[in-house]
Every structure is written in C-alpha cells, then in structure tokens.
Amino acid sequence: DIVMTQTPLSLSVTPGQPASISCKSSQSLLHSDGKTYLYWYLQKPGQSPQLLIYEVSNRFSGVPDRFSGSGSGTDFTLKISRVEAEDVGVYYCMQSIQLPITFGQGTRLEIK
Amino acid sequence: QVQLVESGGGVVQPGGSLRLSCAASGFTFSSYGMHWVRQAPGKGLEWVAFIRYDGSNKYYADSVKGRFTISRDNSKNTLYLQMNSLRAEDTAVYYCAKDRTTVTFDAFDIWGQGTMVTVSS
C-alpha cells in the first residue's frame, strides 16, 4: 500500500497569516497517463469531507483562490495564503494512483 | 442539487449484518463510479470499496474483503454496501462518495452526510 505522510499533524494560525501542509507519498503518484493522482480534502467540524484540490494543483469548483496545491512525484504541499476562520478543520491528502486508495493521517488547523 | 443520502446504519452485534444504502440525485448516477469511505470515531478516513459506473468491477480494502459487498441499482439511483460478519473495528461513520470521473477511480467530488454503524454487544 502507498503510505501518505502529512506534516504537521496540527497547526495553529492567526487569521490573515499563511499556512502550509506537507504530504509525502511512499511511491510516485505520477501515472503513465501523465496525471498525478494527488488530492486534498477538508473536513470541517461536524461535516463530511469536501474536495479542495485535484491532481495536485487544480482547485475544485467553488474553492477560494487562497488555497493552492503544488508538488510532484512524492512531495506535495497545500498552501493557504491567508487563513480565515472558516478554514478550520482537518485537512487530508489522498492518493488514487493505486488501490487501495489511501489518505494521510490528517492535519488539524485551528485559529489562534 | 447534487446529493447523496445514506441510510441503514445502526447498532449491531459482533458477527451480525447490515445493509447500507445511498440514494443519489442531481446527477447521472449511472455514469459515475461510486465509493464507500469510513471514519472510525475520532480517527481519519479509510477507503472501503469502489464500484464502476456499470457495476462490472468492484474493489475492496483488505480489511473488508470477503465480508462486505458493494453493489448498485442504476434504475433506482442507489448504491449499497452489504456488511456481514461485522467486527468491533468496523464501527465508524460510513460515507458514500461519487467519483469525479466516469471510467476509473480518481477523486471523491461529492460526499453524503454519512451513516453511523456501531458494532457492539
């Protein structure tokens, strides 16, 4: 199985400040079809997860442009340019290049 | 609007069975692969199973293989998860989720609200 490792596991950020979460995979997520199968989700308190970023860097419909994704191969980063109160929750990276689909442990973002 | 609504959760004894359902609306259900994902209390997300848009291929996590069966009825826009031989470690919120693509598995772009399954004597 591909192991997804997120750091840090928790983050406390002042509103308006940036935040960054790292995700490393145990194998390359670059497929022969040219796609990189790395995704980011946010699970807000008491809610279902929601898709933020697909294929490393593409914002899903309705996701604010303060969220951005980058990386390649096995190293990926989610950045929030200016954290807002509504961004609190747990962020997960996920790979689907290979079954079983696996998630990172999650990174809890709180507001200072 | 696009929506997934799960049902069928509850409390069951170890060794028992449950069938979860997920009713889809607002999109062409028969065109997309579908997944079940679970989350144990206070824990992270775990992918459980996937079924292709036409039901021709099914895949399972090792932790549920041989005990759980994913299926779908495209005429009813409904996804199912039959869970047998349930164990305490199957206790979780179970989410159904729509795949973003039509042919294979990709990302989960729509999630249901989840249904709680508790396995306890």
Side-chain angles (χ1 to χ4, degrees):
Chain A
D1 297 4
I2 295 178
V3 177
M4 306 295 287
T5 304
Q6 290 181 230
T7 54
L9 297 184
S10 66
L11 208 48
S12 183
V13 182
T14 301
Q17 294 300 302
S20 179
I21 300 170
S22 169
C23 176
K24 296 183 188 297
S25 57
S26 60
Q27 299 176 36
S28 175
L29 303 185
L30 174 62
H31 195 275
S32 56
D33 64 8
K35 284 172 50 176
T36 301
Y37 288 73
L38 186 281
Y39 307 88
W40 290 96
Y41 296 87
L42 165 59
Q43 187 173 29
K44 296 183 178 182
Q47 296 186 19
S48 304
Q50 59 189 81
L51 179 63
L52 291 178
I53 301 286
Y54 64 94
E55 295 172 24
V56 180
S57 59
N58 299 284
R59 278 187 301 276
F60 186 58
S61 175
V63 175
D65 61 7
R66 64 179 180 275
F67 290 92
S68 64
S70 62
S72 63
T74 61
D75 288 356
F76 306 94
T77 302
L78 176 70
K79 291 182 179 177
I80 310 173
S81 59
R82 294 173 305 279
V83 170
E84 298 188 4
E86 66 180 23
D87 301 335
V88 298
V90 181
Y91 291 79
Y92 295 94
C93 60
M94 184 197 87
Q95 67 79 21
S96 62
I97 192 172
Q98 176 187 114
L99 291 179
I101 293 171
T102 50
F103 294 88
Q105 320 95 299
T107 295
R108 185 174 301 277
L109 175 69
E110 65 173 33
I111 299 296
K112 279 184 183 175
Chain B
Q1 76 276 24
V2 178
Q3 195 173 4
L4 297 171
V5 179
E6 301 96 335
S7 61
V11 180
V12 60
Q13 292 188 338
S17 298
L18 270 181
R19 188 176 85 152
L20 306 183
S21 299
C22 170
S25 59
F27 66 98
T28 307
F29 178 73
S30 59
S31 294
Y32 292 92
M34 295 293 296
H35 302 261
W36 287 99
V37 179
R38 68 184 180 183
Q39 186 170 36
K43 302 297 184 183
L45 300 169
E46 179 187 15
W47 172 79
V48 173
F50 167 80
I51 185 168
R52 258 176 61 118
Y53 69 100
D54 59 359
S56 61
N57 291 90
K58 305 173 185 181
Y59 303 95
Y60 300 92
D62 285 347
S63 57
V64 307
K65 201 172 295 183
R67 301 186 299 121
F68 290 13
T69 301
I70 188 171
S71 62
R72 65 191 297 160
D73 185 336
N74 286 344
S75 69
K76 296 182 178 179
N77 290 342
T78 303
L79 176 73
Y80 303 100
L81 186 68
Q82 177 66 45
M83 304 186 295
N84 298 331
S85 303
L86 282 160
R87 306 167 179 166
E89 54 265 35
D90 296 318
T91 294
V93 174
Y94 284 74
Y95 298 99
C96 66
K98 170 187 167 292
D99 200 279
R100 198 173 65 91
T101 65
T102 59
V103 175
T104 182
F105 38 86
D106 184 82
F108 316 138
D109 60 353
I110 305 296
W111 296 66
Q113 86 287 353
T115 188
M116 183 71 203
V117 172
T118 302
V119 184
S120 173
S121 54

